[in-house]
Amino acid sequence: MPAAARAVNTSRTISMIASLTTLFFTFIGIDGMGHVSGHNVERNTFHQDSSTISGPVFIAPVGNQTAAIGREVVFSCSVRNIGKYKVGWLRASDQTILSVHTRTVTHNARISVSYESNGCSMPAGVAGGSAFGVTGSSQAADEVVNGTWRLHIRQLKESDRDCYMCQINTSPMISELGCLDILVPPDIVYGGDTSADLAVSEGDNATLSCRATGRPTPRVSWRREDGEAILIRASSAGGGSFEKHETYNGSVLQFHRVERRQMGAYLCIASNDVPPAVSKRVTLAVNFAPVVKAPNQLLGAPLSTDVQLECYVEAFPNTINYWVKNRRGLEDEMLLEGLKYNVREERSGYKVLMWLLIKGFTEQDVGSYKCVSTNSLGKADGTLRLYEIKIGFERSSRKDHVSIIGGLAEAAQSSGAGNSFKGLFECWKKLSHYLSMCLFIPVLLWPR
């Protein structure tokens, strides 16, 4: 090999050995005086460990929360060793930034952030030393701080139901998630899903429905406003037996072949343990023609007394009620409130009690009376007959008899045209005859 080539190779080899020697001395820490500097080894090892344990760490999870609408909720994010990094709050669903460190950036006035420091800070600079007395340059230690960032959401709305993220801008970013569930009190939905006041004809089917919203899902029940039990037919086919329910659970209340006694106001009540519970009033009206009942169809009274006649009416819709007196061969006379008559009535649901008070009963008041009730579905009436009761004994050339019997017989005879009183008249006629015979003998023996 030529001498020039060998010289070049030798120069390259010496240069590589010198470079490797320099790197080795640098790694083991030999200074210019030939001493090993252990300080460099320890310091490098410390910084390596600190890089793995001195970064931000979440002390506790954010956690999930549940709150009722209108209340306030607070999410807490506790961090250790925050150092130079920043903490932010975000809405998870759309990544909307709510706050950065201690500053609120959202325009939502109901949302704010607060910060509380519950740790300490290391001094900004610490002098570095060596076990071998070598003095080195000072270097700042990492800042160690424990702090809590709180996200406040006031006057909660249903739209606040979401997850919220506490995020630290490390690389890669680290975060903790907490979800918020909003409890909503029940609300009854008005419209097609909830019944309005309902009117049906007697014998038809009727359905009352009520739908409510809320979170959790509300429970719906029915009660009668008057406190009476709800009557439900035991069979949907329309049997005669009924089941009684103080409270009926379910959003739909069905009536098969509805009867008048099922008429009334019903309360739909919705509750889900989130106050307040709500209710809606639904009225069920059952339409039917008037039915009139006269409990005492035959009445007697002495002259100059006040006589009261009564009638019971059942009907819906409401009826027009009045009294008339039958006059033979003439048109019936309507009786109005005045000096002679007192007319009044008392309503309770679909029932009406009618009264007619005749003041100062006279012979002209003897006769037949009618209580009349009419509505848009029909008309009905009840007949009452009023007679005179004669008090004491009467003496006549033909016979003497007890006047009350004679009065009753006269009343019955005056209604001879009515088939219902013919038998009664015959019975009283025979009884009157026997009593007259018994009383006639003492009259003959009476001293003159």
Side-chain angles (χ1 to χ4, degrees):
M1 179 180 292
R6 286 197 300 268
V8 171
N9 291 335
T10 302
S11 177
R12 288 180 178 177
T13 301
I14 294 172
S15 176
M16 290 178 64
I17 293 172
S19 299
L20 290 173
T21 302
T22 302
L23 288 173
F24 175 74
F25 288 160
T26 303
F27 177 77
I28 63 175
I30 299 178
D31 58 14
M33 300 295 295
H35 299 288
V36 177
S37 178
H39 170 72
N40 289 336
V41 176
E42 291 179 359
R43 189 172 62 182
N44 290 339
T45 304
F46 171 78
H47 280 295
Q48 183 179 2
D49 293 339
S50 297
S51 66
T52 60
I53 65 173
S54 63
V57 177
F58 291 106
I59 297 176
V62 172
N64 300 328
Q65 297 201 42
T66 300
I69 196 169
R71 301 294 182 87
E72 179 179 355
V73 71
V74 179
F75 284 104
S76 296
C77 181
S78 297
V79 180
R80 182 173 62 241
N81 301 332
I82 186 61
K84 64 182 179 180
Y85 300 102
K86 302 295 183 182
V87 174
W89 283 100
L90 295 84
R91 186 181 176 109
S93 62
D94 53 9
Q95 295 296 304
T96 300
I97 300 176
L98 306 176
S99 69
V100 175
H101 220 56
T102 58
R103 179 185 176 189
T104 304
V105 298
T106 180
H107 295 293
N108 190 338
R110 298 183 296 108
I111 296 178
S112 62
V113 66
S114 62
Y115 169 73
E116 177 184 347
S117 176
N118 52 359
C120 59
S121 299
M122 293 289 290
V126 177
S130 170
F132 300 94
V134 177
T135 303
S137 62
S138 64
Q139 182 172 349
D142 287 335
E143 184 182 20
V144 180
V145 175
N146 294 334
T148 300
W149 285 259
R150 292 187 173 90
L151 179 68
H152 302 259
I153 308 176
R154 297 181 298 276
Q155 300 174 8
L156 289 174
K157 298 181 179 180
E158 195 169 0
S159 58
D160 295 324
R161 184 184 296 115
D162 208 324
C163 292
Y164 295 86
M165 183 185 299
C166 176
Q167 190 176 83
I168 303 175
N169 63 338
T170 56
S171 180
M173 290 188 179
I174 59 175
S175 62
E176 277 287 332
L177 198 66
C179 294
L180 173 61
D181 190 15
I182 304 295
L183 300 181
V184 182
D187 185 29
I188 294 177
V189 179
Y190 288 79
D193 294 330
T194 299
S195 298
D197 292 345
L198 181 64
V200 297
S201 298
E202 191 169 28
D204 290 347
N205 296 333
T207 301
L208 303 183
S209 60
C210 181
R211 190 173 75 88
T213 60
R215 188 180 181 93
T217 302
R219 302 178 299 273
V220 177
S221 60
W222 294 88
R223 300 188 67 180
R224 281 187 65 107
E225 188 180 49
D226 57 9
E228 297 292 329
I230 297 176
L231 300 178
I232 303 293
R233 287 191 185 273
S235 172
S236 60
S241 60
F242 286 83
E243 297 175 350
K244 292 184 177 181
H245 300 266
E246 295 297 329
T247 300
Y248 184 87
N249 296 319
S251 59
V252 177
L253 182 60
Q254 291 185 331
F255 299 96
H256 299 279
R257 292 181 56 194
V258 66
E259 293 187 0
R260 64 190 67 176
R261 57 179 173 161
Q262 295 172 295
M263 183 190 315
Y266 293 81
L267 296 177
C268 163
I269 303 171
S271 61
N272 64 351
D273 300 326
V274 182
V278 293
S279 65
K280 183 182 186 302
R281 183 177 186 269
V282 181
T283 300
L284 174 63
V286 180
N287 298 329
F288 60 98
V291 177
V292 177
K293 297 178 182 179
N296 299 314
Q297 296 182 347
L298 186 61
L299 296 172
L303 298 179
S304 302
T305 59
D306 293 345
V307 184
Q308 180 170 280
L309 310 182
E310 295 180 355
C311 280
Y312 295 99
V313 179
E314 293 184 0
F316 197 85
N318 288 337
T319 53
I320 298 175
N321 306 310
Y322 55 93
W323 291 88
V324 297
K325 180 181 179 183
N326 294 335
R327 297 188 299 176
R328 295 182 180 179
L330 300 174
E331 186 178 355
D332 292 345
E333 176 189 2
M334 181 180 292
L335 305 180
L336 304 177
E337 178 78 20
L339 296 177
K340 181 64 178 177
Y341 303 108
N342 178 231
V343 180
R344 63 190 180 97
E345 62 183 41
E346 182 179 290
R347 294 182 180 271
S348 177
Y350 61 88
K351 297 180 179 180
V352 181
L353 178 57
M354 300 173 57
W355 287 284
L356 173 66
L357 180 64
I358 303 174
K359 303 175 185 178
F361 178 58
T362 64
E363 293 182 356
Q364 288 74 24
D365 298 322
V366 174
S368 178
Y369 294 81
K370 283 185 179 181
C371 52
V372 184
S373 181
T374 178
N375 68 3
S376 59
L377 300 178
K379 181 179 180 180
D381 61 63
T383 302
L384 301 89
R385 304 187 188 279
L386 183 59
Y387 65 91
E388 175 192 353
I389 295 180
K390 298 179 181 179
I391 300 177
F393 294 95
E394 291 184 354
R395 182 180 302 168
S396 64
S397 58
R398 297 179 56 188
K399 61 181 179 178
D400 293 339
H401 55 84
V402 180
S403 300
I404 187 171
I405 298 174
L408 184 58
E410 291 174 5
Q413 188 174 9
S414 66
S415 59
N419 294 329
S420 60
F421 291 95
K422 287 184 179 180
L424 182 61
F425 172 70
E426 294 297 332
C427 292
W428 281 114
K429 185 176 180 182
K430 292 179 180 180
L431 181 59
S432 176
H433 175 70
Y434 289 133
L435 290 176
S436 298
M437 291 297 295
C438 292
L439 295 173
F440 182 68
I441 295 175
V443 170
L444 290 177
L445 299 178
W446 191 269
R448 303 191 179 212

